[in-house]
Amino acid sequence: MKTTFLMRLAFVCAVALALGPGASVAQQPSAELQPGPAIVTGENVNVRGRPTIRSEVITRLNRGETVVVLEKVTLPKPGPGEPAEWAKIAFPTNASVWVHAQFIDPTNKTVLPRRLNMRAGPGENYSVVGTLERGDAIIEVTTKDNWIQIVPPTNAYAYVAARYLRQEPTAAQLAAAKPEGELQPTPSPTPEPAPVVETVAPGPEIVATPAEPKVEPAPTTPPPTEPVVISPVPEEQLQPKRIVQREGIVRHSVSIQAPTLYCLVSPETGRIINYLYTTSTNLNLRRYKGLRVIVTGEEGLDPRWTNTPVLTIQRIYVVE
């Protein structure tokens, strides 16, 4: 019997270590997660490459940190002591993403094959945490053997046990959960006070002298007035739009905080010239990715990226 107790205790300890140093083994009910920001409620919560405690630990999160939930994943048959509900989150910025150096163009740091796996470590035995497409640009951090560590792009992801995340209810959820208020009684109309009739004591009869007829003054015709003409504001006093023409290569934005999905980079330096934005539903910038183009449009600054302007596209064509 003592041996059985020790075996159970060892199993509980193993599950606790797999979940994380600060995580609780007891299955706590997790809130219904929706895509959007969430707050970490545990200490040293493990972030993994796949939704299972048998996957490698990518990094750890502390209480109060914020993550972005992409979707909720429910395992059909979780293992013993394993959470059934996981949150697929945007890849933490303090973790590492790796790609094989063989498939990266060394001259402009872009992806060569049609699709390239990103992994949680420098080896094919690590979990796939997203994919890159041909022409996508990377930002290299360091190299190890035949692998390159890169800045995590916006489409990289990881997993964390859902029970260690909490989301604030949205306005729509609060409105749906709010009970209907009690009907207020309709106030009764206030009765109008009865008219007061004054009684006048009879007095001596007074004979009224007929008044002279009132003579109305002859109407005068106002002098005709000329219509008021409001002069338009001269065009030279209006604030002109900043219309520019830029040449560069279309790349996919690598920062999770970029104002748009695509940017225009310099062919010589590789630096971002503009972030590209379009209001047209017929223009798919993905078709231009990796191509050298000339773009004409209105240029302005985004409040979050004051050093790199956003270019609203009016015309774009590929340079031969």
Side-chain angles (χ1 to χ4, degrees):
M1 183 173 181
K2 182 177 180 180
T3 303
T4 304
F5 172 76
L6 292 176
M7 292 176 63
R8 291 181 178 177
L9 180 61
F11 173 77
V12 171
C13 293
V15 173
L17 290 175
L19 291 177
S24 171
V25 177
Q27 286 281 355
Q28 303 173 359
S30 61
E32 193 65 29
L33 294 177
Q34 302 293 335
I39 300 174
V40 180
T41 60
E43 293 292 343
N44 294 326
V45 177
N46 287 331
V47 179
R48 298 183 180 276
R50 291 181 291 119
T52 172
I53 60 176
R54 293 184 295 275
S55 176
E56 72 274 29
V57 176
I58 297 174
T59 185
R60 288 188 173 91
L61 301 172
N62 293 318
R63 189 187 308 275
E65 292 189 60
T66 302
V67 297
V68 178
V69 176
L70 303 178
E71 62 176 315
K72 184 178 178 180
V73 178
T74 302
L75 302 182
K77 294 181 180 180
E82 185 174 42
E85 297 179 341
W86 294 78
K88 182 180 180 181
I89 65 174
F91 204 85
T93 56
N94 63 341
S96 302
V97 173
W98 298 77
V99 293
H100 201 287
Q102 176 184 352
F103 305 107
I104 300 298
D105 189 334
T107 58
N108 56 11
K109 300 299 179 182
T110 57
V111 176
L112 294 174
R114 186 175 63 87
R115 180 164 294 184
L116 177 63
N117 286 334
M118 296 181 288
R119 297 190 177 270
E124 294 183 356
N125 57 321
Y126 288 91
S127 300
V128 176
V129 294
T131 57
L132 296 172
E133 298 181 356
R134 179 182 295 135
D136 285 347
I138 65 167
I139 300 178
E140 181 178 333
V141 178
T142 186
T143 58
K144 183 178 181 181
D145 297 332
N146 293 326
W147 293 83
I148 302 175
Q149 180 187 350
I150 65 174
V151 174
T154 56
N155 61 335
Y157 54 83
Y159 296 88
V160 65
R163 62 171 175 256
Y164 299 120
L165 298 180
R166 174 177 57 86
Q167 287 181 317
E168 298 294 339
T170 62
Q173 292 172 336
L174 290 175
K178 183 178 180 180
E180 295 183 0
E182 297 181 359
L183 296 177
Q184 298 294 332
T186 303
S188 301
T190 303
E192 296 182 0
V196 178
V197 180
E198 296 183 358
T199 303
V200 181
E205 184 177 353
I206 300 176
V207 179
T209 303
E212 296 180 359
K214 184 177 181 181
V215 179
E216 297 289 342
T220 58
T221 305
T225 59
E226 296 182 357
V228 179
V229 179
I230 302 177
S231 302
V233 179
E235 293 185 359
E236 60 270 14
Q237 296 183 10
L238 297 177
Q239 185 67 26
K241 295 183 179 179
R242 178 178 173 83
I243 305 300
V244 299
Q245 186 178 81
R246 306 295 188 201
E247 180 177 351
I249 300 175
V250 179
R251 300 293 187 207
H252 194 282
S253 302
V254 297
S255 173
I256 193 174
Q257 298 178 342
T260 63
L261 294 177
Y262 293 91
C263 57
L264 192 70
V265 301
S266 170
E268 292 78 16
T269 64
R271 292 181 174 272
I272 298 176
I273 304 173
N274 289 95
Y275 287 101
L276 299 179
Y277 174 72
T278 177
T279 57
S280 173
T281 58
N282 298 324
L283 178 59
N284 186 1
L285 290 177
R286 185 175 179 180
R287 297 170 48 196
Y288 296 88
K289 187 168 61 176
L291 301 178
R292 185 163 182 164
V293 299
I294 294 179
V295 184
T296 303
E298 183 179 353
E299 188 178 52
L301 293 177
D302 188 275
R304 299 168 298 174
W305 296 76
T306 56
N307 294 326
T308 304
V310 178
L311 183 60
T312 302
I313 301 174
Q314 296 178 352
R315 182 184 179 190
I316 181 172
Y317 62 91
V318 179
V319 179
E320 294 294 341

